[in-house]
């Protein structure tokens, strides 16, 4: 189910405000870096992207790196539109990457180039087997800790992005940032390769802490570059423009 | 000055405005109860509208008690309370299915988000959003950000065909605040003390 806007087919995220910011959705097959510090709503937004995809009949895959998927499911906001049947029917699949590491024998603290290839091909095969059209890796930063060098990180992200794109899959790589970070990624490599960057942050204004979202880049579409304030609600992620009269930056 | 405007007259004037209207309702402090009856009971309840009541002056708990005292059905009234938490008076019991707390009246974006959430959740065809009051919000916010807030809020509510009623207490208002409201509202209802004829 893709909306056609301009030249590229769109993957409608289902988050109304975000689709408006992106003039209709993420250009299909893009790999987007969704980055931010803790408590900014990255996982909730990524999950909503998958749930809406699954509801539209697009097979969706969540690859959890940091959190056990059962715990994750228990903790997510009880979205009013979420239907557990999506999981039962296989439209929405959760995979724990640590289990995959174990099965592939990738238990070392640093992966070699060959092992990176093995990881990429295994993830791609899984996505292909499941007919995945939407994929989230949460978080890519945790994967990068096993890659160590910029070359390996670049190699991994380039290969996984290309493989998923070839499968007609739109993907979100969740990135973790330390609080107050001014860069877009932990290793300084991820943002250069991704087709899009969405940054989520905690913004303090006169003692109030606001959750914000800003699209920094998105290949294949025009988009707003303004900062928005968001709320995580049982109706999903809601967005409104940041009022500039009170902006400190 | 003659006696204050009646609740029925307030409701009649609101009824003359088309859906998606933004109405500035200027009232006297003496007329608060009539305004609540006129807006919530005689206007919104009679039309089976959901009312989203933004409280910045007194807590939602107090407004609820006022509605009870006036014998007004509050089953279709939902509160966005942006004063209870800042007053440190809110308990978890106060945040329920019908009441959403905003941490502070300075968090205007969050206020808009909570209104948006309640509008999306509402099953009613017609919706009314009451801002009580612009004077209280002006205590915590500059006119610049308040103006931006009202513009975005009212435009958004218009697109959802919701009525907006912005309460202004005439005794506490300023020409700047009145100008700011006039910029976003298309109708004005005076519910202060009536001028002597």
């Amino acid at each position: 189910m893709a909306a056609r806007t301009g030249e590229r087919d769109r993957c409608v995220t289902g988050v109304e405000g975000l689709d408006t910011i992106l003039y209709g959705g993420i250009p299909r097959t893009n790999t987007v870096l969704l980055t931010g510090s803790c408590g900014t709503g990255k996982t909730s937004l990524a999950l909503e992207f998958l749930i809406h995809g699954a509801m539209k009949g697009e097979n969706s895959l969540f690859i959890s790196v940091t959190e056990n998927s059962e715990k994750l499911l228990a903790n997510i906001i009880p979205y009013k539109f979420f239907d557990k049947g999506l999981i039962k029917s296989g439209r929405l699949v959760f995979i724990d990457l640590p289990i995959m590491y174990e099965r592939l024998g990738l238990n070392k603290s640093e992966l070699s180039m060959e092992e990176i290839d093995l990881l990429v091909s295994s993830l791609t095969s899984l996505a292909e087997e499941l007919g995945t059209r939407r994929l989230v890796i949460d978080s890519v930063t945790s994967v990068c800790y096993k890659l160590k060098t910029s070359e390996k990180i670049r190699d991994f992200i380039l290969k996984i992005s290309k493989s998923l794109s070839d499968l007609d899959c739109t993907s979100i790589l969740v990135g973790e940032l330390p609080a107050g970070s001014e860069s877009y990624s932990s290793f300084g490599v991820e943002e250069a390769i991704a087709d899009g960057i969405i940054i989520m942050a905690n913004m303090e204004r006169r003692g109030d802490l606001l959750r914000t979202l800003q699209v920094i880049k998105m290949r294949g579409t025009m988009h707003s570059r303004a900062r928005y304030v968001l709320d995580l609600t049982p109706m999903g992620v809601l967005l409104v423009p940041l009022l500039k009269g009170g902006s400190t930056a | 000055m003659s006696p204050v405007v009646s609740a029925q007259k307030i409701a009649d004037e609101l009824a003359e405005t088309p859906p998606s209207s933004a109405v500035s309702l200027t009232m006297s402090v003496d007329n608060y109860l009539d305004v609540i009856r006129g807006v919530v009971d005689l206007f919104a309840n009679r039309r089976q509208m959901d009312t989203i009541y933004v409280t910045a002056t007194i807590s939602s708990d107090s407004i609820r008690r006022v509605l009870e005292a006036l014998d007004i059905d509050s089953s279709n009234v939902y509160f966005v309370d942006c004063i209870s938490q800042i007053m440190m008076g809110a308990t978890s019991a106060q945040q329920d299915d019908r009441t959403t707390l905003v941490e502070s009246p300075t968090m205007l974006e969050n206020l808009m988000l909570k209104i948006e959430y309640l509008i999306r959740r509402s099953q009613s065809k017609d919706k009314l959003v009451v801002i009580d009051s612009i004077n209280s919000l002006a205590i915590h916010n500059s006119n610049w950000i308040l103006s931006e807030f009202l513009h975005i809020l009212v435009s958004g509510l218009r697109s959802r065909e919701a009525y907006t009623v912005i309460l202004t207490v005439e005794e506490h208002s300023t020409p700047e605040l009145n100008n700011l409201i006039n910029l976003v509202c298309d109708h004005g209802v005076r519910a202060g003390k009536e001028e002597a004829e």
Side-chain angles (χ1 to χ4, degrees):
Chain A
M1 297 283 283
R4 195 148 185 102
T5 315
E7 296 300 309
R8 297 265 310 263
D9 236 6
R10 300 304 171 117
C11 178
V12 178
T13 68
V15 179
E16 197 182 298
L18 183 58
D19 288 326
T20 304
I21 291 168
L22 295 171
Y23 287 63
I26 299 170
R28 199 165 279 284
T29 75
N30 268 7
T31 300
V32 177
L33 181 68
L34 176 63
T35 186
S37 55
C38 63
T40 51
K42 303 181 296 292
T43 301
S44 299
L45 184 69
L47 274 168
E48 195 178 336
F49 163 74
L50 293 186
I51 294 169
H52 283 299
M55 285 165 62
K56 287 165 188 275
E58 295 181 12
N59 290 349
S60 302
L61 175 60
F62 188 95
I63 297 171
S64 180
V65 188
T66 42
E67 206 169 355
N68 174 297
S69 54
E70 272 181 33
K71 191 175 158 197
L72 183 82
L73 270 171
N75 288 338
I76 59 170
I77 301 169
Y79 287 124
K80 286 197 186 292
F81 51 85
F82 179 63
D83 173 10
K84 282 183 181 168
L86 295 171
I87 295 177
K88 281 185 190 155
S89 66
R91 280 264 178 247
L92 180 60
V93 175
F94 289 81
I95 298 283
D96 291 331
L97 196 61
I99 294 172
M100 211 162 154
Y101 284 150
E102 211 171 294
R103 288 187 184 158
L104 295 169
L106 304 176
N107 294 323
K108 287 186 289 179
S109 63
E110 182 172 356
L111 302 183
S112 66
M113 282 297 199
E114 291 72 30
E115 287 170 322
I116 292 171
D117 285 344
L118 175 62
L119 180 60
V120 170
S121 68
S122 301
L123 290 173
T124 309
S125 300
L126 180 66
E128 190 170 13
E129 196 180 313
L130 295 171
T132 305
R133 302 294 305 277
R134 296 185 186 211
L135 180 142
V136 168
I137 299 179
D138 186 7
S139 72
V140 75
T141 311
S142 299
V143 179
C144 291
Y145 280 123
K146 279 176 88 75
L147 309 179
K148 312 280 188 196
T149 68
S150 300
E151 290 73 24
K152 285 182 184 172
I153 293 169
R154 181 182 293 271
D155 192 54
F156 170 72
I157 296 176
L158 268 174
K159 283 177 178 167
I160 194 78
S161 300
K162 175 154 190 338
S163 306
L164 293 172
S165 181
D166 289 346
L167 291 176
D168 201 20
C169 179
T170 308
S171 44
I172 289 181
L173 309 180
V174 176
E176 294 166 43
L177 287 175
S181 171
E182 300 228 336
S183 62
Y184 299 137
S185 65
S186 292
F187 297 91
V189 179
E190 306 94 300
E191 76 257 31
I193 303 162
D195 299 306
I197 301 172
I198 301 173
I199 188 155
M200 298 180 78
N202 287 313
M203 195 194 94
E204 190 169 338
R205 186 179 67 199
R206 294 198 290 156
D208 297 331
L209 199 60
L210 301 170
R211 282 193 175 105
T212 64
L213 177 147
Q214 193 168 24
V215 177
I216 305 297
K217 84 166 184 183
M218 189 64 66
R219 288 185 186 131
T221 181
M222 293 191 297
H223 61 86
S224 162
R225 302 189 82 228
R227 196 182 285 187
Y228 292 78
V229 176
L230 70 107
D231 193 17
L232 310 174
T233 78
M235 305 295 284
V237 173
L238 301 180
L239 291 157
V240 292
L242 174 74
L243 298 176
K244 296 175 180 63
S247 180
T248 53
Chain B
M1 301 283 259
S2 59
V4 292
V5 175
S6 73
Q8 189 58 57
K9 191 173 175 193
I10 294 164
D12 290 344
E13 289 208 37
L14 288 175
E16 283 174 20
T17 61
S20 325
S21 293
V23 178
S24 157
L25 204 163
T26 309
M27 63 179 188
S28 159
V29 280
D30 301 335
N31 207 16
Y32 191 49
L33 299 184
D34 284 312
V35 166
I36 289 185
R37 183 184 289 287
V39 174
V40 178
D41 192 28
L42 302 178
F43 177 64
N45 279 354
R46 292 242 172 118
R47 294 171 158 225
Q48 295 177 315
M49 297 167 93
D50 272 357
T51 299
I52 298 168
Y53 199 107
V54 178
T55 64
T57 307
I58 54 174
S59 71
S60 54
D61 214 30
S62 304
I63 304 270
R64 196 174 271 138
R65 282 200 295 269
V66 168
L67 293 174
E68 271 173 23
L70 294 174
D71 206 18
I72 294 172
D73 176 16
S74 62
S75 57
N76 293 323
V77 184
Y78 299 87
F79 293 96
V80 177
D81 182 336
C82 52
I83 200 68
S84 287
Q85 273 199 330
I86 201 172
M87 298 298 289
M88 307 292 285
T91 63
S92 56
Q94 279 177 285
Q95 172 129 348
D96 54 33
D97 203 37
R98 306 247 312 279
T99 310
T100 307
L101 301 178
V102 173
E103 280 177 70
S104 151
T106 53
M107 299 179 89
L108 295 173
E109 291 94 342
N110 283 11
L111 213 155
M112 284 193 275
L113 285 162
K114 300 303 181 195
I115 293 172
E116 172 69 13
Y117 168 64
L118 290 173
I119 282 189
R120 285 188 187 213
R121 208 182 65 171
S122 166
Q123 304 289 318
S124 168
K125 184 176 158 282
D126 297 315
K127 294 153 193 92
L128 165 72
V129 175
V130 180
I131 309 288
D132 178 6
S133 66
I134 198 67
N135 311 86
S136 297
L137 288 176
I139 294 170
H140 302 271
N141 298 282
S142 70
N143 281 358
W144 190 23
I145 198 167
L146 212 47
S147 169
E148 200 181 345
F149 160 74
L150 285 179
H151 189 217
I152 295 172
L153 177 73
V154 170
S155 304
L157 292 175
R158 271 191 222 285
S159 70
R160 294 189 174 275
E161 296 193 343
Y163 284 92
T164 312
V165 171
I166 301 171
L167 303 187
T168 311
V169 182
E170 63 184 357
E171 291 90 337
H172 302 153
S173 204
T174 62
E176 292 79 20
L177 209 51
N178 293 338
N179 284 341
L180 190 152
I181 296 163
N182 289 340
L183 273 173
V184 295
C185 291
D186 20 43
H187 301 279
V189 174
R190 276 193 54 83
K193 289 181 178 165
E194 283 183 321
E195 299 292 332
E197 296 194 3

PDB file of all heavy atoms in Angstrom, chain B residues 5 19 40 44 46 64-65 72 99 107 110 120 127 130 142 159 163 172 180 185:
ATOM      1  N   VAL B   5     -24.905  38.945  31.769  1.00  0.00           N
ATOM      2  CA  VAL B   5     -25.615  38.274  30.675  1.00  0.00           C
ATOM      3  C   VAL B   5     -26.000  36.863  31.101  1.00  0.00           C
ATOM      4  O   VAL B   5     -25.229  36.176  31.778  1.00  0.00           O
ATOM      5  CB  VAL B   5     -24.685  38.231  29.431  1.00  0.00           C
ATOM      6  CG1 VAL B   5     -25.326  37.447  28.301  1.00  0.00           C
ATOM      7  CG2 VAL B   5     -24.348  39.641  28.987  1.00  0.00           C
ATOM      8  N   PRO B  19     -20.038  25.760  12.594  1.00  0.00           N
ATOM      9  CA  PRO B  19     -18.972  24.870  13.058  1.00  0.00           C
ATOM     10  C   PRO B  19     -17.610  25.383  12.572  1.00  0.00           C
ATOM     11  O   PRO B  19     -17.543  26.092  11.572  1.00  0.00           O
ATOM     12  CB  PRO B  19     -19.299  23.531  12.383  1.00  0.00           C
ATOM     13  CG  PRO B  19     -20.738  23.608  12.047  1.00  0.00           C
ATOM     14  CD  PRO B  19     -21.049  25.044  11.799  1.00  0.00           C
ATOM     15  N   VAL B  40     -21.139  24.915  28.429  1.00  0.00           N
ATOM     16  CA  VAL B  40     -21.067  23.458  28.554  1.00  0.00           C
ATOM     17  C   VAL B  40     -22.454  22.811  28.492  1.00  0.00           C
ATOM     18  O   VAL B  40     -22.643  21.823  27.772  1.00  0.00           O
ATOM     19  CB  VAL B  40     -20.353  23.059  29.878  1.00  0.00           C
ATOM     20  CG1 VAL B  40     -20.326  21.543  30.042  1.00  0.00           C
ATOM     21  CG2 VAL B  40     -18.933  23.622  29.895  1.00  0.00           C
ATOM     22  N   ALA B  44     -23.137  22.999  24.437  1.00  0.00           N
ATOM     23  CA  ALA B  44     -22.506  21.732  24.034  1.00  0.00           C
ATOM     24  C   ALA B  44     -23.352  20.501  24.360  1.00  0.00           C
ATOM     25  O   ALA B  44     -23.599  19.656  23.494  1.00  0.00           O
ATOM     26  CB  ALA B  44     -21.135  21.616  24.686  1.00  0.00           C
ATOM     27  N   ARG B  46     -26.534  20.179  24.945  1.00  0.00           N
ATOM     28  CA  ARG B  46     -27.807  20.116  24.197  1.00  0.00           C
ATOM     29  C   ARG B  46     -27.579  19.628  22.775  1.00  0.00           C
ATOM     30  O   ARG B  46     -28.448  19.049  22.159  1.00  0.00           O
ATOM     31  CB  ARG B  46     -28.462  21.495  24.159  1.00  0.00           C
ATOM     32  CG  ARG B  46     -28.934  21.927  25.526  1.00  0.00           C
ATOM     33  CD  ARG B  46     -30.439  22.123  25.595  1.00  0.00           C
ATOM     34  NE  ARG B  46     -30.830  22.341  26.983  1.00  0.00           N
ATOM     35  CZ  ARG B  46     -31.401  23.439  27.420  1.00  0.00           C
ATOM     36  NH1 ARG B  46     -31.670  24.419  26.565  1.00  0.00           N
ATOM     37  NH2 ARG B  46     -31.735  23.560  28.678  1.00  0.00           N
ATOM     38  N   ARG B  64     -15.041  20.324  37.905  1.00  0.00           N
ATOM     39  CA  ARG B  64     -15.959  19.186  37.973  1.00  0.00           C
ATOM     40  C   ARG B  64     -16.957  19.376  39.128  1.00  0.00           C
ATOM     41  O   ARG B  64     -18.149  19.105  38.986  1.00  0.00           O
ATOM     42  CB  ARG B  64     -15.145  17.903  38.143  1.00  0.00           C
ATOM     43  CG  ARG B  64     -15.948  16.671  37.843  1.00  0.00           C
ATOM     44  CD  ARG B  64     -15.088  15.435  37.867  1.00  0.00           C
ATOM     45  NE  ARG B  64     -14.514  15.169  36.567  1.00  0.00           N
ATOM     46  CZ  ARG B  64     -13.262  14.773  36.370  1.00  0.00           C
ATOM     47  NH1 ARG B  64     -12.451  14.641  37.384  1.00  0.00           N
ATOM     48  NH2 ARG B  64     -12.830  14.535  35.165  1.00  0.00           N
ATOM     49  N   ARG B  65     -16.437  19.881  40.230  1.00  0.00           N
ATOM     50  CA  ARG B  65     -17.325  20.117  41.386  1.00  0.00           C
ATOM     51  C   ARG B  65     -18.342  21.221  41.068  1.00  0.00           C
ATOM     52  O   ARG B  65     -19.497  21.154  41.475  1.00  0.00           O
ATOM     53  CB  ARG B  65     -16.497  20.484  42.623  1.00  0.00           C
ATOM     54  CG  ARG B  65     -15.841  19.260  43.273  1.00  0.00           C
ATOM     55  CD  ARG B  65     -15.447  19.557  44.727  1.00  0.00           C
ATOM     56  NE  ARG B  65     -14.413  20.583  44.802  1.00  0.00           N
ATOM     57  CZ  ARG B  65     -13.117  20.322  44.804  1.00  0.00           C
ATOM     58  NH1 ARG B  65     -12.687  19.067  44.731  1.00  0.00           N
ATOM     59  NH2 ARG B  65     -12.235  21.292  44.875  1.00  0.00           N
ATOM     60  N   ILE B  72     -24.984  19.936  36.180  1.00  0.00           N
ATOM     61  CA  ILE B  72     -24.700  19.837  34.739  1.00  0.00           C
ATOM     62  C   ILE B  72     -24.065  18.475  34.467  1.00  0.00           C
ATOM     63  O   ILE B  72     -23.119  18.073  35.147  1.00  0.00           O
ATOM     64  CB  ILE B  72     -23.747  20.969  34.283  1.00  0.00           C
ATOM     65  CG1 ILE B  72     -24.434  22.330  34.425  1.00  0.00           C
ATOM     66  CG2 ILE B  72     -23.277  20.746  32.847  1.00  0.00           C
ATOM     67  CD1 ILE B  72     -23.512  23.515  34.183  1.00  0.00           C
ATOM     68  N   THR B  99      -9.529  12.932  32.374  1.00  0.00           N
ATOM     69  CA  THR B  99      -8.671  14.063  32.727  1.00  0.00           C
ATOM     70  C   THR B  99      -7.234  13.780  32.325  1.00  0.00           C
ATOM     71  O   THR B  99      -6.674  12.753  32.690  1.00  0.00           O
ATOM     72  CB  THR B  99      -8.703  14.323  34.251  1.00  0.00           C
ATOM     73  OG1 THR B  99     -10.057  14.372  34.663  1.00  0.00           O
ATOM     74  CG2 THR B  99      -8.005  15.617  34.613  1.00  0.00           C
ATOM     75  N   MET B 107       3.941  24.620  28.966  1.00  0.00           N
ATOM     76  CA  MET B 107       4.151  23.573  27.955  1.00  0.00           C
ATOM     77  C   MET B 107       3.009  23.612  26.939  1.00  0.00           C
ATOM     78  O   MET B 107       2.178  22.702  26.874  1.00  0.00           O
ATOM     79  CB  MET B 107       4.284  22.209  28.628  1.00  0.00           C
ATOM     80  CG  MET B 107       5.469  22.154  29.572  1.00  0.00           C
ATOM     81  SD  MET B 107       5.666  20.585  30.407  1.00  0.00           S
ATOM     82  CE  MET B 107       6.683  19.699  29.242  1.00  0.00           C
ATOM     83  N   ASN B 110       2.553  20.724  24.530  1.00  0.00           N
ATOM     84  CA  ASN B 110       1.937  19.546  25.141  1.00  0.00           C
ATOM     85  C   ASN B 110       0.437  19.733  25.307  1.00  0.00           C
ATOM     86  O   ASN B 110      -0.337  18.785  25.173  1.00  0.00           O
ATOM     87  CB  ASN B 110       2.593  19.237  26.488  1.00  0.00           C
ATOM     88  CG  ASN B 110       3.937  18.558  26.305  1.00  0.00           C
ATOM     89  OD1 ASN B 110       4.456  18.497  25.189  1.00  0.00           O
ATOM     90  ND2 ASN B 110       4.514  18.057  27.374  1.00  0.00           N
ATOM     91  N   ARG B 120      -8.907  13.041  18.688  1.00  0.00           N
ATOM     92  CA  ARG B 120      -8.824  11.776  17.957  1.00  0.00           C
ATOM     93  C   ARG B 120      -9.599  10.673  18.657  1.00  0.00           C
ATOM     94  O   ARG B 120     -10.145   9.782  18.019  1.00  0.00           O
ATOM     95  CB  ARG B 120      -7.372  11.341  17.824  1.00  0.00           C
ATOM     96  CG  ARG B 120      -6.634  12.144  16.789  1.00  0.00           C
ATOM     97  CD  ARG B 120      -5.277  11.571  16.556  1.00  0.00           C
ATOM     98  NE  ARG B 120      -4.520  12.448  15.694  1.00  0.00           N
ATOM     99  CZ  ARG B 120      -3.632  12.025  14.823  1.00  0.00           C
ATOM    100  NH1 ARG B 120      -3.390  10.762  14.687  1.00  0.00           N
ATOM    101  NH2 ARG B 120      -2.980  12.886  14.070  1.00  0.00           N
ATOM    102  N   LYS B 127     -17.400  18.680  18.217  1.00  0.00           N
ATOM    103  CA  LYS B 127     -16.509  18.871  19.370  1.00  0.00           C
ATOM    104  C   LYS B 127     -16.360  20.349  19.689  1.00  0.00           C
ATOM    105  O   LYS B 127     -16.336  21.183  18.781  1.00  0.00           O
ATOM    106  CB  LYS B 127     -15.131  18.282  19.084  1.00  0.00           C
ATOM    107  CG  LYS B 127     -15.149  16.776  18.930  1.00  0.00           C
ATOM    108  CD  LYS B 127     -14.028  16.281  18.055  1.00  0.00           C
ATOM    109  CE  LYS B 127     -14.228  14.840  17.653  1.00  0.00           C
ATOM    110  NZ  LYS B 127     -14.940  14.650  16.398  1.00  0.00           N
ATOM    111  N   VAL B 130     -12.773  24.395  24.936  1.00  0.00           N
ATOM    112  CA  VAL B 130     -12.880  25.616  25.735  1.00  0.00           C
ATOM    113  C   VAL B 130     -11.522  25.900  26.369  1.00  0.00           C
ATOM    114  O   VAL B 130     -10.941  25.024  27.015  1.00  0.00           O
ATOM    115  CB  VAL B 130     -13.938  25.455  26.861  1.00  0.00           C
ATOM    116  CG1 VAL B 130     -14.055  26.735  27.686  1.00  0.00           C
ATOM    117  CG2 VAL B 130     -15.294  25.080  26.283  1.00  0.00           C
ATOM    118  N   SER B 142       4.653  34.527  27.357  1.00  0.00           N
ATOM    119  CA  SER B 142       4.707  35.843  26.726  1.00  0.00           C
ATOM    120  C   SER B 142       3.617  35.938  25.654  1.00  0.00           C
ATOM    121  O   SER B 142       3.143  34.915  25.147  1.00  0.00           O
ATOM    122  CB  SER B 142       6.080  36.045  26.081  1.00  0.00           C
ATOM    123  OG  SER B 142       6.188  35.188  24.959  1.00  0.00           O
ATOM    124  N   SER B 159      -9.615  22.967  11.037  1.00  0.00           N
ATOM    125  CA  SER B 159      -9.507  21.910  10.032  1.00  0.00           C
ATOM    126  C   SER B 159     -10.215  20.639  10.493  1.00  0.00           C
ATOM    127  O   SER B 159     -10.581  19.800   9.693  1.00  0.00           O
ATOM    128  CB  SER B 159      -8.039  21.626   9.701  1.00  0.00           C
ATOM    129  OG  SER B 159      -7.426  20.999  10.797  1.00  0.00           O
ATOM    130  N   TYR B 163     -15.434  23.500  17.327  1.00  0.00           N
ATOM    131  CA  TYR B 163     -15.641  24.858  17.837  1.00  0.00           C
ATOM    132  C   TYR B 163     -14.539  25.171  18.845  1.00  0.00           C
ATOM    133  O   TYR B 163     -14.133  24.286  19.615  1.00  0.00           O
ATOM    134  CB  TYR B 163     -16.956  24.963  18.605  1.00  0.00           C
ATOM    135  CG  TYR B 163     -18.206  25.020  17.763  1.00  0.00           C
ATOM    136  CD1 TYR B 163     -18.896  23.860  17.443  1.00  0.00           C
ATOM    137  CD2 TYR B 163     -18.725  26.234  17.332  1.00  0.00           C
ATOM    138  CE1 TYR B 163     -20.063  23.899  16.699  1.00  0.00           C
ATOM    139  CE2 TYR B 163     -19.897  26.289  16.590  1.00  0.00           C
ATOM    140  CZ  TYR B 163     -20.561  25.118  16.280  1.00  0.00           C
ATOM    141  OH  TYR B 163     -21.714  25.173  15.555  1.00  0.00           O
ATOM    142  N   HIS B 172      -9.309  41.332  33.910  1.00  0.00           N
ATOM    143  CA  HIS B 172      -7.882  41.007  33.925  1.00  0.00           C
ATOM    144  C   HIS B 172      -7.228  41.135  32.566  1.00  0.00           C
ATOM    145  O   HIS B 172      -6.068  40.763  32.396  1.00  0.00           O
ATOM    146  CB  HIS B 172      -7.668  39.579  34.442  1.00  0.00           C
ATOM    147  CG  HIS B 172      -8.221  39.343  35.808  1.00  0.00           C
ATOM    148  ND1 HIS B 172      -8.631  38.120  36.246  1.00  0.00           N
ATOM    149  CD2 HIS B 172      -8.463  40.210  36.835  1.00  0.00           C
ATOM    150  CE1 HIS B 172      -9.092  38.209  37.481  1.00  0.00           C
ATOM    151  NE2 HIS B 172      -9.013  39.481  37.859  1.00  0.00           N
ATOM    152  N   LEU B 180      -4.577  40.109  20.396  1.00  0.00           N
ATOM    153  CA  LEU B 180      -4.079  38.767  20.084  1.00  0.00           C
ATOM    154  C   LEU B 180      -5.256  37.804  19.840  1.00  0.00           C
ATOM    155  O   LEU B 180      -5.247  37.003  18.904  1.00  0.00           O
ATOM    156  CB  LEU B 180      -3.263  38.359  21.297  1.00  0.00           C
ATOM    157  CG  LEU B 180      -2.375  37.181  21.416  1.00  0.00           C
ATOM    158  CD1 LEU B 180      -1.289  37.524  22.431  1.00  0.00           C
ATOM    159  CD2 LEU B 180      -3.156  36.002  21.910  1.00  0.00           C
ATOM    160  N   CYS B 185      -9.803  34.870  16.378  1.00  0.00           N
ATOM    161  CA  CYS B 185     -11.234  34.556  16.537  1.00  0.00           C
ATOM    162  C   CYS B 185     -12.069  35.251  15.466  1.00  0.00           C
ATOM    163  O   CYS B 185     -11.765  36.370  15.054  1.00  0.00           O
ATOM    164  CB  CYS B 185     -11.729  34.992  17.916  1.00  0.00           C
ATOM    165  SG  CYS B 185     -11.032  33.996  19.223  1.00  0.00           S
TER     166      CYS B 185
END
